[in-house]
Amino acid sequence: MDITPPLPIAPTLRSEMNHGGPLSATQAHQVLLYCALDAGCVPMDPPAVQAVVRLAQLDYPTVQAVIDWITTAATRRP
């Protein structure tokens, strides 16, 4: 079975997310993807946001592979 690891979300951010309980796998994937894109200084426009929403629906190993690609591309920038 494929399980998304829990995310350490600060209580202050949880209230802003309007979510009192654990995040669903899709929500956790969105957070992971947005963090990777933000760390890689990737600008977010409406099509990119829609791509994140769609990618977040995939299983964790696939999402992690995409995050690894983003991280690798960001570290290879001049």
Side-chain angles (χ1 to χ4, degrees):
M1 178 166 28
D2 202 24
I3 304 212
T4 300
L7 295 177
I9 304 295
T12 54
L13 293 177
R14 275 199 186 279
S15 63
E16 289 178 23
M17 294 173 71
N18 204 13
H19 200 279
L23 299 176
S24 70
T26 299
Q27 290 171 318
H29 295 169
Q30 284 180 330
V31 171
L32 291 169
L33 288 162
Y34 282 127
C35 288
L37 291 165
D38 187 53
C41 298
V42 177
M44 297 300 294
D45 56 9
V49 171
Q50 286 302 314
V52 168
V53 169
R54 296 290 303 272
L55 286 168
Q57 296 171 0
L58 300 172
D59 61 290
Y60 176 70
T62 305
V63 170
Q64 187 58 54
V66 171
I67 290 168
D68 291 343
W69 295 338
I70 294 166
T71 304
T72 300
T75 57
R76 291 188 180 174
R77 285 189 189 166

Coordinates of all heavy atoms in Angstrom, one line a residue:
M1 N 0.8 -1.2 0.0 CA 0.0 0.0 0.0 C 0.9 1.2 0.0 O 1.9 1.3 0.6 CB -0.9 0.0 1.2 CG -1.8 1.2 1.2 SD -3.2 1.4 2.3 CE -3.0 0.5 3.7
D2 N 0.4 2.2 -0.7 CA 1.1 3.5 -0.9 C 0.6 4.6 0.0 O -0.6 5.0 -0.1 CB 0.9 3.9 -2.3 CG 2.0 4.8 -2.8 OD1 3.1 4.8 -2.3 OD2 1.7 5.5 -3.8
I3 N 1.4 5.1 1.0 CA 0.9 6.0 1.9 C 1.7 7.3 1.9 O 2.9 7.3 1.9 CB 0.9 5.5 3.4 CG1 0.1 4.2 3.4 CG2 0.4 6.5 4.4 CD1 -0.6 3.9 4.6
T4 N 1.0 8.4 1.8 CA 1.7 9.7 1.8 C 2.1 10.0 3.2 O 1.3 9.9 4.1 CB 0.8 10.8 1.3 OG1 0.3 10.5 0.0 CG2 1.4 12.2 1.3
P5 N 3.4 10.4 3.4 CA 3.8 10.7 4.8 C 3.1 11.9 5.3 O 2.8 12.8 4.6 CB 5.3 10.9 4.7 CG 5.6 11.1 3.2 CD 4.5 10.5 2.5
P6 N 2.9 12.0 6.7 CA 2.2 13.2 7.2 C 3.1 14.4 7.1 O 4.4 14.3 7.1 CB 2.0 12.8 8.7 CG 3.0 11.7 9.0 CD 3.3 11.0 7.6
L7 N 2.5 15.5 7.0 CA 3.2 16.8 6.9 C 3.2 17.5 8.2 O 2.2 17.6 8.9 CB 2.6 17.7 5.8 CG 2.6 17.2 4.4 CD1 1.9 18.1 3.5 CD2 4.1 17.0 3.9
P8 N 4.4 18.1 8.5 CA 4.4 18.9 9.8 C 3.9 20.3 9.5 O 4.6 21.2 9.1 CB 5.9 19.0 10.1 CG 6.6 18.8 8.8 CD 5.7 18.0 7.9
I9 N 2.6 20.5 9.6 CA 1.9 21.8 9.3 C 1.8 22.5 10.7 O 1.2 22.0 11.6 CB 0.6 21.6 8.7 CG1 0.7 20.8 7.4 CG2 -0.1 23.0 8.4 CD1 1.5 21.5 6.3
A10 N 2.3 23.7 10.7 CA 2.2 24.5 12.0 C 0.7 24.8 12.3 O -0.1 25.0 11.4 CB 2.9 25.8 11.8
P11 N 0.4 24.8 13.6 CA -1.0 25.1 14.0 C -1.6 26.4 13.4 O -2.7 26.5 13.0 CB -1.0 25.1 15.5 CG 0.2 24.3 15.9 CD 1.2 24.5 14.7
T12 N -0.7 27.4 13.3 CA -1.2 28.7 12.7 C -1.6 28.6 11.3 O -2.5 29.2 10.8 CB -0.1 29.8 12.9 OG1 1.1 29.3 12.3 CG2 0.1 30.1 14.3
L13 N -0.8 27.8 10.5 CA -1.1 27.5 9.1 C -2.4 26.7 9.0 O -3.1 26.9 8.0 CB 0.0 26.9 8.4 CG 1.3 27.8 8.3 CD1 2.4 27.0 7.6 CD2 1.0 29.1 7.5
R14 N -2.6 25.7 9.9 CA -3.8 24.9 9.8 C -5.0 25.7 9.9 O -6.0 25.5 9.2 CB -3.8 23.9 11.0 CG -3.0 22.7 10.7 CD -3.4 21.5 11.6 NE -2.5 20.4 11.4 CZ -2.7 19.5 10.4 NH1 -3.7 19.7 9.6 NH2 -1.8 18.6 10.2
S15 N -5.0 26.7 10.8 CA -6.2 27.6 10.9 C -6.4 28.4 9.6 O -7.6 28.6 9.2 CB -6.1 28.5 12.1 OG -5.0 29.4 11.9
E16 N -5.4 28.8 9.0 CA -5.5 29.5 7.7 C -6.0 28.6 6.6 O -6.7 29.0 5.7 CB -4.1 30.1 7.3 CG -3.7 31.3 8.2 CD -2.4 31.8 7.7 OE1 -2.0 31.6 6.6 OE2 -1.7 32.5 8.6
M17 N -5.6 27.3 6.7 CA -6.1 26.3 5.7 C -7.5 25.9 6.0 O -8.1 25.2 5.2 CB -5.2 25.1 5.7 CG -3.8 25.4 5.3 SD -2.7 24.0 5.5 CE -3.2 22.9 4.3
N18 N -8.1 26.4 7.1 CA -9.4 26.1 7.5 C -9.6 24.5 7.5 O -10.6 24.0 7.0 CB -10.4 26.7 6.5 CG -11.8 26.9 7.1 OD1 -11.9 26.8 8.3 ND2 -12.8 27.2 6.3
H19 N -8.7 23.9 8.2 CA -8.7 22.4 8.2 C -8.2 22.0 9.6 O -7.0 22.2 9.9 CB -7.8 21.9 7.1 CG -8.1 20.5 6.8 ND1 -7.6 19.4 7.5 CD2 -8.8 20.0 5.8 CE1 -8.0 18.3 6.9 NE2 -8.8 18.6 5.9
G20 N -9.1 21.4 10.4 CA -8.7 21.1 11.7 C -8.0 19.7 11.9 O -7.2 19.4 12.8
G21 N -8.3 18.8 10.9 CA -7.7 17.4 11.0 C -6.6 17.2 10.1 O -6.0 18.1 9.5
P22 N -6.2 15.9 10.0 CA -5.1 15.6 9.1 C -5.5 16.0 7.6 O -6.6 15.9 7.2 CB -5.0 14.1 9.2 CG -5.9 13.7 10.3 CD -6.8 14.8 10.6
L23 N -4.5 16.3 6.8 CA -4.7 16.6 5.4 C -5.0 15.3 4.7 O -4.4 14.3 5.0 CB -3.5 17.3 4.8 CG -3.0 18.6 5.4 CD1 -1.7 19.1 4.8 CD2 -4.1 19.6 5.3
S24 N -5.8 15.4 3.6 CA -6.0 14.3 2.7 C -4.7 14.1 1.9 O -3.8 15.0 1.9 CB -7.1 14.5 1.8 OG -6.8 15.5 0.9
A25 N -4.5 13.0 1.3 CA -3.3 12.7 0.5 C -3.2 13.8 -0.6 O -2.1 14.3 -0.8 CB -3.3 11.3 -0.1
T26 N -4.3 14.1 -1.2 CA -4.3 15.1 -2.3 C -3.9 16.5 -1.8 O -3.0 17.2 -2.4 CB -5.7 15.2 -3.0 OG1 -6.0 14.0 -3.6 CG2 -5.7 16.3 -4.1
Q27 N -4.4 16.9 -0.6 CA -4.0 18.2 0.0 C -2.5 18.2 0.4 O -1.8 19.1 0.1 CB -4.8 18.5 1.2 CG -6.3 18.8 0.9 CD -7.1 18.8 2.2 OE1 -7.0 18.0 3.1 NE2 -8.0 19.8 2.3
A28 N -2.0 17.1 0.9 CA -0.6 17.0 1.3 C 0.3 17.0 0.0 O 1.3 17.7 0.0 CB -0.4 15.6 2.0
H29 N -0.2 16.4 -1.1 CA 0.6 16.5 -2.3 C 0.6 17.9 -2.8 O 1.7 18.3 -3.3 CB 0.0 15.5 -3.4 CG 0.0 14.1 -3.0 ND1 -0.7 13.1 -3.7 CD2 0.7 13.4 -2.0 CE1 -0.5 12.0 -3.2 NE2 0.4 12.1 -2.1
Q30 N -0.5 18.6 -2.7 CA -0.5 20.0 -3.2 C 0.5 20.8 -2.4 O 1.3 21.6 -3.0 CB -1.9 20.6 -3.0 CG -2.8 20.2 -4.1 CD -4.2 20.8 -3.9 OE1 -4.6 21.1 -2.8 NE2 -4.9 21.0 -5.0
V31 N 0.5 20.6 -1.1 CA 1.5 21.4 -0.2 C 2.9 21.0 -0.7 O 3.8 21.9 -0.8 CB 1.3 21.1 1.3 CG1 2.4 21.7 2.1 CG2 -0.1 21.6 1.7
L32 N 3.2 19.8 -0.8 CA 4.6 19.4 -1.2 C 5.0 20.0 -2.6 O 6.1 20.4 -2.8 CB 4.7 17.8 -1.3 CG 4.6 17.1 0.0 CD1 4.4 15.6 -0.2 CD2 5.8 17.4 0.9
L33 N 4.0 19.9 -3.5 CA 4.3 20.5 -4.9 C 4.5 22.0 -4.8 O 5.5 22.5 -5.4 CB 3.2 20.1 -5.8 CG 3.2 18.6 -6.3 CD1 1.8 18.3 -6.8 CD2 4.3 18.3 -7.2
Y34 N 3.7 22.7 -4.1 CA 3.8 24.1 -4.0 C 5.1 24.5 -3.3 O 5.8 25.4 -3.7 CB 2.7 24.8 -3.3 CG 1.4 24.9 -4.1 CD1 0.2 24.4 -3.6 CD2 1.4 25.6 -5.3 CE1 -1.0 24.6 -4.4 CE2 0.3 25.7 -6.1 CZ -0.9 25.2 -5.6 OH -2.0 25.4 -6.4
C35 N 5.5 23.7 -2.3 CA 6.8 24.0 -1.6 C 8.0 23.8 -2.6 O 8.9 24.6 -2.6 CB 6.9 23.1 -0.4 SG 5.9 23.6 1.0
A36 N 7.9 22.7 -3.3 CA 9.0 22.5 -4.3 C 9.1 23.6 -5.3 O 10.2 24.0 -5.7 CB 8.8 21.1 -4.9
L37 N 8.0 24.0 -5.9 CA 8.0 25.0 -6.9 C 8.4 26.3 -6.3 O 9.2 27.1 -7.0 CB 6.6 25.1 -7.5 CG 6.1 23.9 -8.3 CD1 4.6 23.9 -8.6 CD2 6.9 23.9 -9.6
D38 N 8.0 26.6 -5.1 CA 8.4 27.9 -4.4 C 9.9 27.9 -4.2 O 10.6 28.9 -4.5 CB 7.6 28.1 -3.1 CG 7.9 29.4 -2.5 OD1 7.8 30.5 -3.2 OD2 8.3 29.4 -1.3
A39 N 10.4 26.8 -3.7 CA 11.9 26.7 -3.5 C 12.7 26.8 -4.8 O 13.8 27.3 -4.7 CB 12.2 25.3 -2.8
G40 N 12.1 26.3 -5.9 CA 12.7 26.4 -7.2 C 12.5 27.7 -7.9 O 12.9 27.9 -9.0
C41 N 11.8 28.7 -7.2 CA 11.5 30.0 -7.7 C 10.7 29.9 -9.1 O 10.9 30.7 -10.0 CB 12.7 30.8 -7.9 SG 13.6 31.1 -6.4
V42 N 9.8 28.9 -9.1 CA 9.0 28.8 -10.3 C 7.7 29.7 -10.2 O 7.0 29.5 -9.2 CB 8.5 27.3 -10.5 CG1 7.6 27.1 -11.6 CG2 9.8 26.4 -10.6
P43 N 7.5 30.6 -11.1 CA 6.4 31.4 -11.0 C 5.1 30.6 -11.3 O 5.0 29.7 -12.1 CB 6.6 32.5 -12.2 CG 7.5 31.8 -13.1 CD 8.3 30.8 -12.3
M44 N 4.0 31.0 -10.6 CA 2.8 30.3 -10.7 C 1.7 31.2 -11.4 O 1.4 32.3 -10.9 CB 2.2 30.0 -9.3 CG 3.1 29.0 -8.5 SD 3.4 27.4 -9.3 CE 1.7 26.8 -9.2
D45 N 1.3 30.7 -12.5 CA 0.2 31.4 -13.2 C -1.0 30.4 -13.2 O -0.9 29.3 -12.7 CB 0.6 31.7 -14.7 CG 1.1 30.5 -15.5 OD1 1.0 29.4 -15.0 OD2 1.6 30.7 -16.6
P46 N -2.2 30.8 -13.7 CA -3.3 29.9 -13.6 C -3.1 28.5 -14.2 O -3.5 27.5 -13.6 CB -4.4 30.7 -14.3 CG -4.1 32.1 -14.1 CD -2.5 32.2 -14.1
P47 N -2.5 28.4 -15.4 CA -2.3 27.0 -15.9 C -1.4 26.2 -14.9 O -1.6 25.0 -14.8 CB -1.6 27.2 -17.2 CG -2.1 28.6 -17.6 CD -2.1 29.4 -16.4
A48 N -0.4 26.8 -14.3 CA 0.5 26.1 -13.4 C -0.3 25.6 -12.2 O 0.0 24.5 -11.7 CB 1.7 27.0 -13.0
V49 N -1.1 26.5 -11.7 CA -1.9 26.1 -10.5 C -2.8 24.9 -10.8 O -2.9 24.0 -10.1 CB -2.8 27.3 -10.0 CG1 -3.8 26.9 -8.9 CG2 -1.9 28.4 -9.5
Q50 N -3.4 24.9 -12.0 CA -4.3 23.8 -12.4 C -3.4 22.5 -12.6 O -3.9 21.5 -12.3 CB -5.0 24.1 -13.8 CG -6.1 25.1 -13.6 CD -7.2 24.6 -12.6 OE1 -7.6 23.4 -12.7 NE2 -7.6 25.4 -11.7
A51 N -2.2 22.7 -13.1 CA -1.3 21.5 -13.2 C -1.0 20.9 -11.8 O -1.0 19.7 -11.6 CB 0.0 21.9 -13.9
V52 N -0.8 21.8 -10.8 CA -0.5 21.3 -9.4 C -1.7 20.6 -8.9 O -1.6 19.5 -8.3 CB -0.1 22.5 -8.5 CG1 -0.1 22.0 -7.1 CG2 1.2 23.0 -8.9
V53 N -2.9 21.1 -9.2 CA -4.2 20.5 -8.7 C -4.3 19.1 -9.3 O -4.6 18.1 -8.6 CB -5.4 21.4 -9.0 CG1 -6.7 20.6 -8.8 CG2 -5.3 22.7 -8.2
R54 N -4.0 19.0 -10.6 CA -4.1 17.7 -11.3 C -3.1 16.7 -10.8 O -3.3 15.5 -10.6 CB -4.1 17.9 -12.8 CG -5.2 18.7 -13.4 CD -6.6 18.0 -13.3 NE -6.6 16.7 -14.0 CZ -6.8 16.5 -15.3 NH1 -7.1 17.5 -16.1 NH2 -6.8 15.3 -15.8
L55 N -1.8 17.2 -10.7 CA -0.7 16.3 -10.3 C -0.9 15.8 -8.8 O -0.6 14.7 -8.5 CB 0.6 17.1 -10.3 CG 1.2 17.3 -11.7 CD1 2.3 18.3 -11.7 CD2 1.7 16.0 -12.3
A56 N -1.5 16.7 -8.0 CA -1.7 16.3 -6.6 C -2.7 15.1 -6.4 O -2.7 14.4 -5.4 CB -2.2 17.5 -5.8
Q57 N -3.4 14.8 -7.5 CA -4.4 13.7 -7.4 C -3.7 12.4 -7.7 O -4.3 11.3 -7.5 CB -5.5 13.9 -8.4 CG -6.3 15.2 -8.1 CD -7.3 15.5 -9.2 OE1 -7.4 14.9 -10.2 NE2 -8.1 16.6 -8.9
L58 N -2.5 12.4 -8.1 CA -1.7 11.2 -8.4 C -1.2 10.5 -7.1 O -1.2 11.1 -6.1 CB -0.6 11.5 -9.4 CG -1.0 12.1 -10.7 CD1 0.2 12.5 -11.5 CD2 -1.8 11.1 -11.5
D59 N -0.7 9.3 -7.2 CA -0.2 8.6 -6.1 C 1.1 9.3 -5.6 O 1.8 10.0 -6.3 CB 0.0 7.1 -6.4 CG 1.0 6.9 -7.5 OD1 0.7 7.3 -8.7 OD2 2.2 6.5 -7.2
Y60 N 1.5 9.0 -4.4 CA 2.7 9.6 -3.7 C 4.0 9.4 -4.5 O 4.7 10.3 -4.7 CB 2.8 9.2 -2.3 CG 4.0 9.8 -1.6 CD1 4.1 11.1 -1.4 CD2 5.1 9.0 -1.3 CE1 5.3 11.7 -0.8 CE2 6.3 9.5 -0.8 CZ 6.3 10.8 -0.5 OH 7.5 11.4 0.0
P61 N 4.3 8.2 -4.9 CA 5.6 8.0 -5.7 C 5.6 8.8 -6.9 O 6.7 9.4 -7.2 CB 5.6 6.5 -6.0 CG 4.7 5.9 -4.9 CD 3.7 6.9 -4.7
T62 N 4.5 9.0 -7.6 CA 4.5 9.8 -8.8 C 4.7 11.3 -8.4 O 5.6 12.0 -9.1 CB 3.2 9.6 -9.6 OG1 3.0 8.3 -9.9 CG2 3.2 10.4 -10.9
V63 N 4.1 11.8 -7.4 CA 4.2 13.1 -7.0 C 5.7 13.4 -6.5 O 6.3 14.4 -6.8 CB 3.2 13.5 -5.8 CG1 3.5 14.8 -5.2 CG2 1.8 13.5 -6.4
Q64 N 6.2 12.4 -5.8 CA 7.6 12.6 -5.3 C 8.6 12.6 -6.5 O 9.6 13.3 -6.5 CB 8.0 11.4 -4.4 CG 9.3 11.6 -3.7 CD 9.5 12.9 -3.0 OE1 8.6 13.2 -2.1 NE2 10.5 13.7 -3.3
A65 N 8.3 11.8 -7.6 CA 9.2 11.9 -8.8 C 9.1 13.3 -9.4 O 10.2 13.8 -9.8 CB 8.7 10.8 -9.8
V66 N 7.9 13.9 -9.5 CA 7.8 15.2 -10.0 C 8.6 16.2 -9.2 O 9.3 17.1 -9.7 CB 6.3 15.6 -10.2 CG1 6.2 17.1 -10.5 CG2 5.6 14.7 -11.2
I67 N 8.5 16.1 -7.8 CA 9.2 17.0 -6.9 C 10.7 16.8 -7.1 O 11.4 17.8 -7.1 CB 8.7 16.7 -5.5 CG1 7.3 17.2 -5.3 CG2 9.7 17.4 -4.5 CD1 6.7 16.7 -4.0
D68 N 11.1 15.6 -7.3 CA 12.6 15.3 -7.5 C 13.0 16.0 -8.8 O 14.1 16.6 -8.9 CB 12.9 13.8 -7.6 CG 12.7 13.2 -6.2 OD1 12.7 13.9 -5.2 OD2 12.6 11.9 -6.2
W69 N 12.2 16.0 -9.8 CA 12.5 16.6 -11.1 C 12.6 18.1 -10.9 O 13.5 18.8 -11.4 CB 11.5 16.3 -12.2 CG 11.4 14.9 -12.6 CD1 12.4 14.0 -12.5 CD2 10.3 14.3 -13.2 NE1 12.0 12.8 -13.0 CE2 10.7 12.9 -13.5 CE3 9.1 14.7 -13.6 CZ2 9.8 12.0 -14.1 CZ3 8.2 13.8 -14.2 CH2 8.6 12.5 -14.4
I70 N 11.7 18.7 -10.2 CA 11.7 20.1 -9.9 C 12.9 20.5 -9.2 O 13.6 21.5 -9.5 CB 10.4 20.6 -9.1 CG1 9.2 20.4 -10.0 CG2 10.5 22.0 -8.6 CD1 7.9 20.4 -9.2
T71 N 13.3 19.8 -8.1 CA 14.4 20.0 -7.3 C 15.7 19.9 -8.1 O 16.6 20.8 -8.0 CB 14.5 19.1 -6.1 OG1 13.2 19.2 -5.4 CG2 15.6 19.4 -5.2
T72 N 15.8 18.9 -8.9 CA 17.0 18.7 -9.8 C 17.1 19.9 -10.8 O 18.2 20.5 -10.9 CB 16.9 17.4 -10.5 OG1 16.9 16.3 -9.6 CG2 18.1 17.2 -11.4
A73 N 16.0 20.3 -11.4 CA 16.1 21.4 -12.4 C 16.5 22.7 -11.7 O 17.2 23.5 -12.2 CB 14.7 21.5 -13.0
A74 N 16.0 22.9 -10.5 CA 16.3 24.1 -9.7 C 17.7 24.2 -9.3 O 18.3 25.3 -9.3 CB 15.4 24.3 -8.5
T75 N 18.3 23.1 -9.0 CA 19.7 23.1 -8.6 C 20.7 23.2 -9.7 O 21.8 23.5 -9.5 CB 20.1 21.8 -7.7 OG1 19.8 20.7 -8.5 CG2 19.3 21.8 -6.4
R76 N 20.2 22.9 -10.9 CA 21.1 23.0 -12.1 C 21.1 24.3 -12.8 O 21.7 24.6 -13.8 CB 20.7 21.9 -13.1 CG 21.0 20.5 -12.6 CD 20.8 19.5 -13.7 NE 21.1 18.2 -13.2 CZ 20.9 17.1 -13.8 NH1 20.4 17.1 -15.0 NH2 21.3 16.0 -13.3
R77 N 20.3 25.3 -12.3 CA 20.2 26.6 -12.9 C 21.6 27.3 -12.7 O 22.2 27.2 -11.6 CB 19.1 27.5 -12.2 CG 17.8 27.1 -12.7 CD 16.8 28.1 -12.1 NE 15.5 27.6 -12.4 CZ 14.4 28.1 -11.8 NH1 14.5 29.1 -11.0 NH2 13.2 27.6 -12.1
P78 N 21.9 28.1 -13.7 CA 23.2 28.9 -13.6 C 23.1 30.0 -12.5 O 22.2 30.5 -12.2 CB 23.4 29.5 -14.9 CG 22.2 29.3 -15.7 CD 21.3 28.3 -15.0

